[in-house]
Amino acid sequence: MSNNRIGLFGFGVVGESLYRVLQQTPSLQSEIVKVAIRHPEKKRKAPTQLFTTRADELLHDESIQTIVELIDDAEAAFEIVSTALRNGKSVVSANKKMIARHLPELLRIQKESGGSLLYEAAACASIPVIRNLEEYYDNDLLQGIQGIVNGSTNYILSKVSCEQISFEEALTDAQIAGFAESDPSLDLNGTDAANKLCILLAHAYGILAAPEQLSYTGIQALHEQDAVFAREKGWAIKLVAAAKKVTDGKVAAYVLPQFVTDRHLLHTVRDEYNGVVIESGLAEQQFFYGKGAGGIATASAVLSDLSALRYDYRYAYKKLNSHERAVLSMDVFLRVYVSFDGLFQVPHELFERIEEWSSNDKRCSVVGIIHGSRLAQSDWWKQPGTSLILYPEPVVPPELLRKEPVERELVFV
Ligand code: HSE
């Protein structure tokens, strides 16, 4: 008989993988004893008596110590997780959207109930980045984090650029493989990555931000000519989530497509893999790499949380509880490439300086330096027909701007 009885919510790609993996991990002495599902008519690869459509059968069963929440609907997930915590259960969740949106309430409920909520699988799936940010990195030493945190968009970008298959075909493959969200626009428009960045910000810097407070976009507006531009320079385009200390107590955070050179650690991250580069004051760069999507990869992080609960692990939220909490600010100069359908769409007055213009019969583009607040306060750069991509090493030190601006001629090619 196992000593940890688990109630599982959801039996999709991750839920089913967890069920299988747990059966092969007897050392964990944990067993899924009930699974709550919405659609009893669906065929499942597990005994019928395991399933129920009644959430209460799990939430009010005192013999169940742990609830694992792996459903899609963020609001329903919040209800499940908060009820479970209030009922004295430990909870593991992989629901990045729910955590990003409800972290302040979840903190309060954990405090009141004394329960522990773990969610390593909610950011970068198999990579143990949350626990490392929480436990290992002292706030003062953490200069920045930059990562590929969405597997589906990385898969699409890799396939389109390395195997020359179409965007649509790559997206379909990502859906079939179980990498994409059930609404894949959340992957494509950067929302999933922004949700994950919110979680990382809480553990890295003690910043509680909602995704809409971040400047973000995805890969949906990238243009063929952007890929041509990247190829000519020997660069790759990646969707990068970043948080960077800019000045005292201020952290800039964004999710944007970025050109990366072949010397950048993120250049090596392909397909559904994720990678996180930690910039620490003393150790310089450290790199975490692993599968960022998929049933088994995500289940492995859930499994690790279940194991951590056995020795009563809980997040201490050290940076949140520190008296020197950082604040979110886009007080940063960024070098960006922006491409447009028409030359007159370029809002050049918003740039500190424009370093390059180019135009041909297919597309117009500029390279220039813009203040982050210009992005945070507007959305011209998210409009259809416009794509904005960060340059390699995009953060420009303010002292560089004090030098004479270098403005090049408009180049028609
Ligand atoms: N849709 C997500 C991704 C799943 O592609 O990264 C893992 O969070």
Side-chain angles (χ1 to χ4, degrees):
M1 167 113 178
S2 72
N3 56 16
N4 186 14
R5 290 166 58 82
I6 298 169
L8 171 65
F9 281 81
F11 206 72
V13 179
V14 183
E16 193 188 320
S17 300
L18 178 71
Y19 177 71
R20 276 197 285 140
V21 171
L22 256 184
Q23 285 182 316
Q24 296 156 15
T25 322
S27 57
L28 215 54
Q29 295 182 310
S30 299
E31 187 191 357
I32 294 173
V33 294
K34 213 62 200 164
V35 184
I37 44 158
R38 267 221 181 127
H39 300 287
E41 68 287 357
K42 270 196 196 165
K43 274 223 163 314
R44 324 232 175 211
K45 291 188 198 134
T48 326
Q49 65 273 20
L50 208 57
F51 296 97
T52 175
T53 52
R54 292 172 42 91
D56 285 355
E57 281 187 33
L58 284 67
L59 293 171
H60 296 294
D61 180 340
E62 287 184 8
S63 75
I64 290 179
Q65 296 98 335
T66 308
I67 293 294
V68 177
E69 178 280 304
L70 301 174
I71 66 170
D72 211 32
D73 177 337
E75 292 317 305
F78 176 63
E79 281 310 308
I80 292 163
V81 169
S82 41
T83 308
L85 286 168
R86 287 197 178 104
N87 289 357
K89 301 186 189 307
S90 302
V91 182
V92 177
S93 170
N95 201 315
K96 48 265 162 121
K97 185 172 174 191
M98 184 273 289
I99 296 156
R101 300 212 158 268
H102 292 288
L103 194 50
E105 296 128 285
L106 292 168
L107 289 171
R108 192 169 33 76
I109 299 167
Q110 283 182 86
K111 206 168 179 183
E112 287 164 6
S113 66
S116 172
L117 165 66
L118 302 182
Y119 42 80
E120 189 60 72
C124 303
S126 72
I127 309 179
V129 65
I130 296 177
R131 241 186 282 167
N132 270 294
L133 287 172
E134 177 64 43
E135 298 298 333
Y136 187 83
Y137 295 95
D138 183 271
N139 194 20
D140 286 342
L141 299 179
L142 205 54
Q143 299 304 321
I145 48 181
Q146 45 177 327
I148 292 171
V149 300
N150 180 271
S152 303
T153 46
N154 201 49
Y155 181 90
I156 295 168
L157 290 172
S158 305
K159 295 292 171 194
V160 170
S161 79
C162 303
E163 294 174 26
Q164 273 87 53
I165 70 169
S166 73
F167 188 99
E168 290 71 26
E169 210 181 323
L171 171 59
T172 306
D173 288 353
Q175 288 176 293
I176 293 169
F179 305 150
E181 297 300 294
S182 50
D183 171 5
S185 68
L186 298 174
D187 294 300
L188 300 179
N189 66 21
T191 304
D192 181 71
N195 286 333
K196 291 166 178 166
L197 183 56
C198 289
I199 298 172
L200 300 183
L201 280 168
H203 292 276
Y205 293 110
I207 293 174
L208 288 180
E212 50 279 2
Q213 286 173 265
L214 307 182
S215 298
Y216 77 88
T217 189
I219 63 165
Q220 74 284 20
L222 294 180
H223 191 272
E224 225 181 287
Q225 286 300 306
D226 304 333
V228 172
F229 182 88
R231 243 193 326 273
E232 281 171 3
K233 301 220 182 253
W235 297 343
I237 303 175
K238 298 287 186 189
L239 183 64
V240 177
K244 191 153 186 71
K245 267 193 180 169
V246 282
T247 47
D248 288 346
K250 287 185 188 165
V251 173
Y254 48 80
V255 177
L256 295 169
Q258 181 175 329
F259 294 120
V260 293
T261 68
D262 59 2
R263 295 177 53 187
H264 198 294
L265 288 163
L266 295 182
H267 195 276
T268 58
V269 181
R270 303 220 171 85
D271 300 335
E272 76 274 25
Y273 278 78
N274 283 185
V276 181
V277 181
I278 308 254
E279 287 157 22
S280 125
L282 298 178
E284 299 187 3
Q285 287 196 328
Q286 291 161 316
F287 185 40
F288 291 79
Y289 172 79
K291 282 201 174 179
I296 299 287
T298 311
S300 76
V302 174
L303 210 65
S304 176
D305 281 347
L306 287 171
S307 169
L309 285 175
R310 292 172 71 213
Y311 48 91
D312 296 328
Y313 179 76
R314 50 193 300 125
Y315 300 130
Y317 297 100
K318 291 185 192 132
K319 329 288 166 59
L320 263 164
N321 294 324
S322 135
H323 55 279
E324 285 171 19
R325 255 161 69 178
V327 291
L328 205 58
S329 159
M330 278 301 269
D331 186 10
V332 63
F333 291 103
L334 297 168
R335 180 170 281 117
V336 298
Y337 154 103
V338 191
S339 80
F340 304 87
D341 285 339
L343 188 59
F344 299 105
Q345 281 170 262
V346 183
H348 41 80
E349 68 286 358
L350 298 181
F351 282 74
E352 299 300 314
R353 77 190 207 195
I354 289 187
E355 298 176 324
E356 224 171 283
W357 294 81
S358 123
S359 170
N360 61 26
D361 55 344
K362 298 198 183 88
R363 198 80 167 159
C364 305
S365 68
V366 299
V367 176
I369 296 172
I370 194 162
H371 193 261
S373 62
R374 303 276 197 192
L375 300 181
Q377 289 158 11
S378 61
D379 63 0
W380 58 269
W381 50 280
K382 295 186 189 183
Q383 297 309 312
T386 302
S387 55
L388 179 139
I389 307 176
L390 293 174
Y391 242 50
E393 306 300 334
V395 174
V396 180
E399 55 276 14
L400 202 105
L401 282 165
R402 284 197 278 276
K403 292 187 187 155
E404 202 54 26
V406 188
E407 212 165 301
R408 297 198 195 142
E409 289 296 305
L410 179 60
V411 186
F412 288 95
V413 282

